[in-house]
Amino acid sequence: MTDTRFQRRRRRVPTAVCTLALALLLTACTALTPGSDTGGNGPRTVPRSTAVPDEDITLRLTFADAPVMVDALIAAFRKKHPRITIEPSYTQFADYVKNIKLSMASETAPDIAQFAVGMDDIAARGDILDLAPYRDTYGWDRDFPAANLEQLSGSGEQATTGRHLYGVPAGLSMTGIYYNKELAAKAGITGPPKTLAEFERQLAAVKEAGMTPLGVGALDSGGLHLWAALVNNMMPPRDYRDWVKGADGATIKTKETLAATDKLTEWSRKGYFNESANGTGQVDSTGQFTRGDSVFLINGNWAAGQLAQAMGDKAGFFLMPGEKPSARAVSSGFSVSYAISSRTEHPEAAGAFLDFLGSPEAAKIVVANGFLPPDAGAVPTPKGVLGEVAREHKRVTADEGMNHFPDFTAPNMLDPLRAGVQKLIAGRVSPGGYLDSLQAVWKERNGK
Amino acid sequence: MGNKWRGYLFVLPALAVYLAFAVLPALHTAYLSFFDWDGVTLGSWTGLDNYAEVFQDPGLRGSVLNALVLVVFFAFLPILMGLAMTGLLARHRRPGMAAFRLLFMLPQVVPLVAVGVTWRWLYGDDGVLNETLSGIGLGGVTRAWLGDFDWALVAVGVVGTWVLSGLCMMLFLSGVQKIDTHLYEAARLDGAGAVREFVSVTLPHLRGEIAVALTVTTVAALASFDIVYVTTGGGPGEETTVPGLLVYRLAFSDGKVGLASALGVVLSLLILVLVYVINRLSRDER
């Protein structure tokens, strides 16, 4: 009898401790709510003054793209502002986009950070500064293409309440179609197509000649670039941009996008893509293109340097053509751009660096590193395929035809796009079903 | 009383480390699973909503099914291969055994990311597998294995089989060395052949090792991440998406930390149940 009672009492101790711990946990609940230690202050704007104080200043810059270019830009900037030191810190892109929201919300946030998907959210929280006053004082509207600044002006409510600006672009990017001039000639193709219909005739001619028409690296992003290129030219850009920005009532399921998506599945059915598109990464599809495995290739300007080196004058570039020869030149693209932390003590110095990105000196560095310069007039047009990319980019800029990549719609849009296009290529989903799945993700984010 | 508690003092350092780095994070994850939280801004309490979504969302459920398919390739096949190789290698000691063992152990030594990259090349369009198939006149069945809706999961599974077979073989070989050689002699005197010897002597004595191998490999299958992340990223479509990949994606790309935590908790519970069943079944009934 004593024995059992002793055992029972012994068992009661841990139970009591557990109950106490649970009670503590529950009473402390409000403080324990995740995220409660990082209260946002709401949107914040840079001070009106752009005057850099005359003192020794050190700025920390965190980024994920083009380390060589960043080093060169910093060195050139230092020549103009000897008292401002910029300490760069490089993180691989995949890790960068995973961590940037957290590091910008921390007390030790860097002064300048490369802009990434999700920055709109932390702008709304006030972790990065609205640069609109600097834009007006420095005249950035003049130095940078309007479409690229618009891409940095926030989404949802931000986009509709006044003209905000959360970053400044250094190098620009753009997608399009490369072609192998030598192989194309064998299929009787003499030059870039003027319309979408002509491009389809060229694809058919290549197929007829026994070659693979279009190389697509759909294992990662190549498939969504192709889909976006078709949507860019078949859906009115204004509707598309409303969708990306999360405007009320916007939808990706329209007559035009259904036709565009249907075109992609039709091309796949007709065997226009490399047979293993779904198992080929973009880098691999580019390698295959240089070896003559396909006549056309969907990719971006970032591949131009490699192609120029490997293929010389054999490589050409054009934008996915519109339905009419007179159609507006539209493409997908973004920029390597930089934002300023609201925790910086030197917004003026950081602003001076961003302003420097629009200068002719910066443009030269940007071009040397394979990106398109914000101010195309500042540098001579390069030769070969790089020149063709630059010329097509000027056309897009003139037509204000630069669209956001579709994955900028929501942080979790990339995977449905990638997986969805793979299914379209394999005929595992209907165009309507694919667009529905994208719209569901959009709705979850925008709640409309 | 003092004496009784003194023993715990020795356990304390290990216990503290275990509590701080395993138990508390696990409890914290379970706690987070009751919130709708993006990882940065203020979260809000949602009770069991995340769990409801784990069980209702077809994408999340599908990923668990994919992981169960992988159990075949990560656990059953490696154990069969390991047993077969043990049967071949254990009966007689021959020179060069150490080299064999090292060879089969190599996949365990190579980092899984490197394994994934290597296999991506092997499976590639003009990779070794397709070249070999074409070479022996099977050009008709070549394909981009990792991009094929019907074959991608199998292709990923085979990578797991390759990695884990060596581990199983090592476990079984070391188990065989503990078996009393008299038993083999007795069996041979009774006229048992190689197969009979393996079934009647080796296999029963490896019961414990098989249970360990099954536990380790099943956990590897259900918690798989690296191989899938590197080879297919979950594609094509969602054919090779596994829970481990989704936990990572939901928490860090999609900003759904609560849902990711709930999926993690469900996955852990599933693994615990399976491990319990395995251990229950393999226990000696005496």
Side-chain angles (χ1 to χ4, degrees), chain A residues 34 125 276 415 422-423 444, chain B residues 43 125 144 236-238 249 256:
Chain A
R125 270 169 49 77
S276 51
D415 288 304
Q422 289 173 343
K423 289 183 195 167
E444 193 187 345
Chain B
D125 231 357
E238 287 95 25
R249 202 184 270 167
K256 294 180 183 172

Side-chain angles (χ1 to χ4, degrees), chain A residues 6 10 25 29 32-38 94-95 97-99 101-102 105 122 125 127 219 274-280 284 288 291 293 411-412 415 418-420 422-423 426 428 444, chain B residues 1 4 31-32 35 37-45 53 120-121 124-126 142-144 146-150 229 231-239 248-249 252-256:
Chain A
F6 175 66
R10 219 172 45 174
L25 204 70
C29 218
L32 276 172
T33 303
S36 58
D37 53 338
T38 55
D95 301 322
V97 292
K98 304 267 188 281
N99 293 328
K101 275 164 89 175
L102 277 176
I122 58 178
R125 270 169 49 77
D127 287 328
L219 181 70
N274 43 332
E275 222 169 286
S276 51
N278 277 344
T280 309
D284 298 328
Q288 288 166 5
R291 292 194 294 275
D293 289 354
N412 56 339
D415 288 304
R418 184 185 51 76
Q422 289 173 343
K423 289 183 195 167
R428 300 273 172 145
E444 193 187 345
Chain B
M1 205 58 178
K4 223 171 66 197
Y31 176 69
L32 287 180
F35 285 89
W37 186 41
D38 65 1
V40 180
T41 55
L42 199 66
S44 60
W45 179 271
E53 194 170 344
R120 211 169 63 194
W121 290 338
D125 231 357
D126 32 20
T142 58
R143 62 194 77 219
L146 294 171
D148 190 285
F149 272 77
D150 297 318
Y229 183 75
T231 51
T232 63
E238 287 95 25
E239 295 300 310
Y248 172 74
R249 202 184 270 167
F252 294 103
S253 317
D254 301 0
K256 294 180 183 172

Side-chain angles (χ1 to χ4, degrees), chain A residues 161-227:
Chain A
T161 55
R163 284 183 65 226
H164 302 287
L165 184 68
Y166 297 109
V168 167
L172 312 181
S173 62
M174 178 183 83
T175 63
I177 295 165
Y178 293 94
Y179 70 114
N180 183 325
K181 292 179 177 170
E182 216 172 75
L183 293 181
K186 277 189 196 159
I189 296 164
T190 48
K194 303 227 166 22
T195 63
L196 194 54
E198 189 187 346
F199 183 45
E200 288 191 88
R201 281 196 296 278
Q202 294 186 347
L203 290 170
V206 172
K207 183 81 187 164
E208 189 77 5
M211 294 180 283
T212 301
L214 181 59
V216 186
L219 181 70
D220 38 45
S221 312
L224 74 93
H225 287 325
L226 177 63
W227 176 75

Side-chain angles (χ1 to χ4, degrees), chain B residues 213-279:
Chain B
L214 197 56
T215 308
V216 172
T217 52
T218 306
V219 172
L222 293 176
S224 57
F225 170 77
D226 356 31
I227 294 181
V228 176
Y229 183 75
V230 174
T231 51
T232 63
E238 287 95 25
E239 295 300 310
T240 60
T241 306
V242 288
L245 189 70
L246 282 181
V247 169
Y248 172 74
R249 202 184 270 167
L250 286 170
F252 294 103
S253 317
D254 301 0
K256 294 180 183 172
V257 179
L259 184 58
S261 303
L263 183 60
V265 169
V266 170
L267 182 65
S268 307
L269 290 179
L270 181 71
I271 290 174
L272 280 179
V273 167
L274 281 177
V275 168
Y276 176 76
V277 170
I278 291 168
N279 280 301

Side-chain angles (χ1 to χ4, degrees), chain B residues 10-41:
Chain B
F10 292 96
V11 187
L12 203 62
L15 187 70
V17 170
Y18 185 66
L19 277 177
F21 294 106
V23 175
L24 284 181
L27 288 178
H28 187 232
T29 303
Y31 176 69
L32 287 180
S33 69
F34 299 114
F35 285 89
D36 178 12
W37 186 41
D38 65 1
V40 180
T41 55

Side-chain angles (χ1 to χ4, degrees), chain A residues 11-70:
Chain A
R11 214 168 272 164
R12 240 178 240 158
V13 177
T15 322
V17 171
C18 280
T19 320
L20 190 73
L22 197 70
L24 268 175
L25 204 70
L26 289 176
T27 47
C29 218
T30 40
L32 276 172
T33 303
S36 58
D37 53 338
T38 55
N41 307 314
R44 293 172 63 180
T45 307
V46 283
R48 201 142 261 292
S49 155
T50 55
V52 182
D54 191 26
E55 55 180 345
D56 285 327
I57 293 172
T58 303
L59 299 172
R60 287 178 304 131
L61 181 153
T62 171
F63 69 104
D65 276 322
V68 182
M69 177 175 91
V70 172

